[in-house]
Amino acid sequence: MTKKFLNLLVIVSMLAITAPVVIAAPPVQDGGQDYVVVNDDWLSKLAEKYLGNLLAYPAIMELTNQKAAQDSSYATITNPDLIEVGWKIYIPSAAEAEAYLAVPVPGAEPGEEVTLVFSDWHLTEPHWEKSLKEAFETYGALHPNITLELDYVSYGDKDTKYATEIQAGAGPDVIHLHAYSLRSFIERGFLLDLTPFIEAEGGDAFLAPWYPQTLAMMQYEGSYFAIPGDFMSMALFYNTNLYQEAGLDPTKPPATWDEFLANAQALTRDKDGDGQVDTWGFGTIGAVDPGFELRVSPILFSHGGDYLNEDYTCSALNTPQAKEAFAYFTGLFTEHEVIPPGVTAQNPGTVREQMANEQIAMLLGSGWTAPIVASVNPDLNAFEVLEVADVPIKAGTDPDFTTTAWLSAWAINPNTEHPQEAWELIKFITAKEQEQKWFEDARVTSARSDVSEEYQPLVTDKFAKAIAGQLPKAKFVPQIKEWPQVIEAVNTAAQLAFTGDKTPEEALEDAHNQINEILGGTGCPGF
């Protein structure tokens, strides 16, 4: 698999996004009714429209099928993702749907009692925890013999926890990973080969909804080891209220890093007049944390720099572009003081708390940013106050890539005693209806094209539109098993520069040499 192929992210159809259309939702109905399918209908859309809950789609499917068993004028629905124009189906009443979903589904798959351990860092985030638990109520109705045990883990701890437990022959059955962890987990034998399950589902036909570049990330030596989840670019989020208070035009976000610095300086000020700065222009991660990569990569790429050379054999951090980007990033704190004190202790959660409490005006984030900020401080009205823009670039340049791509993946522990049941859970999590729910509840865009290109609430959302718009200029970080060590070297270098223990030049040179050692690149230039 070539680097060029991995970075082929041109998704023209995702950019063909129409202007928002406001449609008054009908009230949840009191009585059931027949319905004829029209163009652009799908079950979860109908469930949300008529029942007020997109996850009530199994009730429409099952109760329609019960009608069809007695009356051939009704369609028989065998695939919830496929309904055809002209079909006559039955939309149950809210009471009928509730009664159906409250008890085990008639005809749901029989089997032995099974407990699956499901692990996801999202469980530690209140809005995600609520969304997942709601979805699992539907899953429980569809699979009454399966009990889900929820395993809470932080984003920063997940890789170490999973690797340690799996190596010891234990661990959760189903896990959620950042895509850059896949190669390391696969090569150490820490993920179950999903190819047989995919082939049993129809192979290429089953995989057709997912973007090819996301599927490529799930493969190794011709086999699939995960199914794609969220697919987004990193973007610039900013507080329009703070922009206006600082005399800046919130409709004109910075297009270059020079403009960004000027804005950040104007936004760094003493709001309450006590002689102490209490609002800063920018917040970022300085702790050694997996989230660091997502925040520093856009700055590196948009300056024309990169981590490694073309074939991933040597560090590329000794280039003028990489040096300039690193000095700019660390200088925002050490020289210009537009980042709050204590940056080396800041992780993704604390930076979002700073945004929620209006201690910072700008950060680099993605689809998850607004809902998390809103959950931290509902009074901010984050969905209205926050705006999103493209990552700035170096003035006078036109880099091939200006930001980084985020991709998550769902995988199965090879130690699981219930591989088929674990696969059924992954299928449920990544189904069209569930991916729509994840957007509704958490604003994450999907690796499924039939969601990211067709689900109307998504394609008309201002945040999703901007995030999708940057994907052609986004690229993945190197997909090599050594990547966690590579990015930790850069993260550590940033800490040393932030604290002043080393100059940016010295810290980056140390990281450059360390990365070459990690890669075994004894023949690399300057090593």
Side-chain angles (χ1 to χ4, degrees):
M1 189 187 312
T2 65
K3 181 178 180 183
K4 182 177 180 181
F5 180 75
L6 285 176
N7 293 326
L8 187 59
L9 295 173
V10 180
I11 309 172
V12 176
S13 53
M14 285 188 72
L15 306 181
I17 298 176
T18 59
V21 178
V22 178
I23 303 174
V28 175
Q29 63 177 31
D30 293 326
Q33 62 178 295
D34 293 337
Y35 180 86
V36 177
V37 176
V38 299
N39 193 35
D40 292 330
D41 274 343
W42 55 87
L43 289 185
S44 59
K45 178 180 178 181
L46 295 173
E48 183 175 34
K49 180 177 180 179
Y50 290 99
L51 301 172
N53 177 9
L54 62 87
L55 290 181
Y57 71 90
I60 299 177
M61 178 176 174
E62 178 60 29
L63 295 178
T64 294
N65 289 343
Q66 290 180 19
K67 293 273 189 181
Q70 304 296 324
D71 183 346
S72 62
S73 68
Y74 289 91
T76 298
I77 306 172
T78 59
N79 182 349
D81 290 337
L82 179 61
I83 56 175
E84 296 185 8
V85 173
W87 277 6
K88 177 183 174 183
I89 64 175
Y90 179 70
I91 308 291
S93 68
E96 287 176 308
E98 184 178 357
Y100 170 79
L101 295 171
V103 298
V105 176
E109 63 179 39
E112 64 175 325
E113 293 296 320
V114 167
T115 297
L116 291 178
V117 179
F118 169 86
S119 188
D120 184 1
W121 75 87
H122 283 323
L123 288 167
T124 65
E125 300 164 344
H127 70 293
W128 260 112
E129 180 189 32
K130 178 176 181 290
S131 180
L132 286 162
K133 286 183 174 180
E134 288 172 349
F136 291 156
E137 289 180 6
T138 299
Y139 180 81
L142 294 170
H143 303 275
N145 63 305
I146 298 176
T147 299
L148 293 185
E149 181 179 312
L150 305 183
D151 180 39
Y152 292 66
V153 61
S154 72
Y155 182 76
D157 292 338
K158 67 184 185 312
D159 284 16
T160 300
K161 166 186 161 61
Y162 297 154
T164 301
E165 293 177 346
I166 292 171
Q167 190 169 26
D173 296 278
V174 173
I175 60 176
H176 196 190
L177 292 170
H178 186 302
Y180 75 57
S181 303
L182 290 176
R183 182 59 62 86
S184 174
F185 272 67
I186 292 168
E187 293 196 15
R188 288 185 288 173
F190 290 170
L191 299 182
L192 186 69
D193 184 353
L194 303 184
T195 310
F197 299 104
I198 293 170
E199 291 176 347
E201 299 289 343
D204 290 344
F206 173 77
L207 295 174
W210 282 274
Y211 291 111
Q213 62 269 41
T214 68
L215 290 172
M217 301 281 282
M218 309 293 114
Q219 289 182 286
Y220 182 69
E221 296 184 346
S223 295
Y224 286 93
F225 290 86
I227 296 295
D230 311 331
F231 181 38
M232 296 177 284
S233 67
M234 294 295 287
L236 178 66
F237 284 74
Y238 61 98
N239 182 312
T240 57
N241 287 346
L242 295 181
Y243 257 63
Q244 289 175 324
E245 291 174 9
L248 300 173
D249 186 346
T251 68
K252 296 180 179 178
T256 69
W257 287 115
D258 291 339
E259 293 175 1
F260 176 90
L261 176 58
N263 284 7
Q265 290 173 321
L267 291 159
T268 301
R269 56 201 182 94
D270 171 17
K271 282 186 65 178
D272 61 12
D274 67 353
Q276 301 292 324
V277 171
D278 47 34
T279 301
W280 287 263
F282 182 55
T284 195
I285 296 167
V288 175
D289 186 278
F292 172 83
E293 170 260 314
L294 290 168
R295 279 74 179 180
V296 74
S297 296
I299 297 175
L300 176 63
F301 296 158
S302 62
H303 277 82
D306 211 334
Y307 294 101
L308 306 179
N309 63 359
E310 194 69 25
D311 60 3
Y312 298 160
T313 57
C314 298
S315 168
L317 295 179
N318 62 345
T319 64
Q321 295 89 343
K323 291 178 180 178
E324 182 178 11
F326 189 77
Y328 179 90
F329 175 63
T330 56
L332 291 172
F333 178 74
T334 59
E335 180 182 355
H336 302 294
E337 299 181 345
V338 296
I339 296 174
V343 64
T344 55
Q346 299 302 319
N347 61 38
T350 54
V351 174
R352 288 189 288 260
E353 287 175 5
Q354 291 173 339
M355 174 68 86
N357 295 321
E358 295 194 311
Q359 294 171 293
I360 60 172
M362 298 184 288
L363 58 72
L364 291 171
S366 198
W368 58 76
T369 298
I372 294 178
V373 169
S375 70
V376 174
N377 181 11
D379 293 336
L380 179 63
N381 195 16
F383 289 103
E384 297 298 325
V385 169
L386 298 186
E387 282 293 340
V388 62
D390 289 354
V391 171
I393 61 173
K394 180 184 175 183
T397 69
D398 184 20
D400 291 335
F401 300 104
T402 59
T403 188
T404 192
W406 157 270
L407 178 64
S408 70
W410 294 101
I412 297 176
N413 181 345
N415 300 322
T416 183
E417 296 179 357
H418 308 289
Q420 183 61 49
E421 289 83 359
W423 168 250
E424 292 297 328
L425 179 56
I426 284 185
K427 274 205 311 178
F428 174 84
I429 293 166
T430 59
K432 182 178 180 179
E433 288 78 14
Q434 300 310 314
E435 292 288 333
Q436 292 167 354
K437 176 177 173 56
W438 308 147
F439 172 76
E440 288 284 351
D441 295 344
R443 290 300 193 273
V444 292
T445 55
S446 175
R448 291 184 64 118
S449 62
D450 57 355
V451 175
S452 287
E453 295 178 18
E454 299 174 14
Y455 188 46
Q456 197 67 9
L458 188 157
V459 299
T460 57
D461 178 82
K462 68 177 181 179
F463 300 113
K465 181 177 179 179
I467 289 163
Q470 282 199 118
L471 281 171
K473 283 283 196 174
K475 70 173 176 178
F476 294 114
V477 296
Q479 301 303 300
I480 56 175
K481 68 179 185 299
E482 297 89 355
W483 175 250
Q485 296 169 272
V486 169
I487 192 60
E488 186 172 346
V490 180
N491 201 162
T492 301
Q495 284 208 320
L496 293 171
F498 281 140
T499 59
D501 290 335
K502 292 189 176 181
T503 66
E505 295 77 14
E506 291 170 340
L508 192 63
E509 183 178 2
D510 285 351
H512 170 73
N513 292 332
Q514 184 179 350
I515 290 168
N516 281 332
E517 288 182 4
I518 291 167
L519 299 176
T522 54
C524 296
F527 181 71

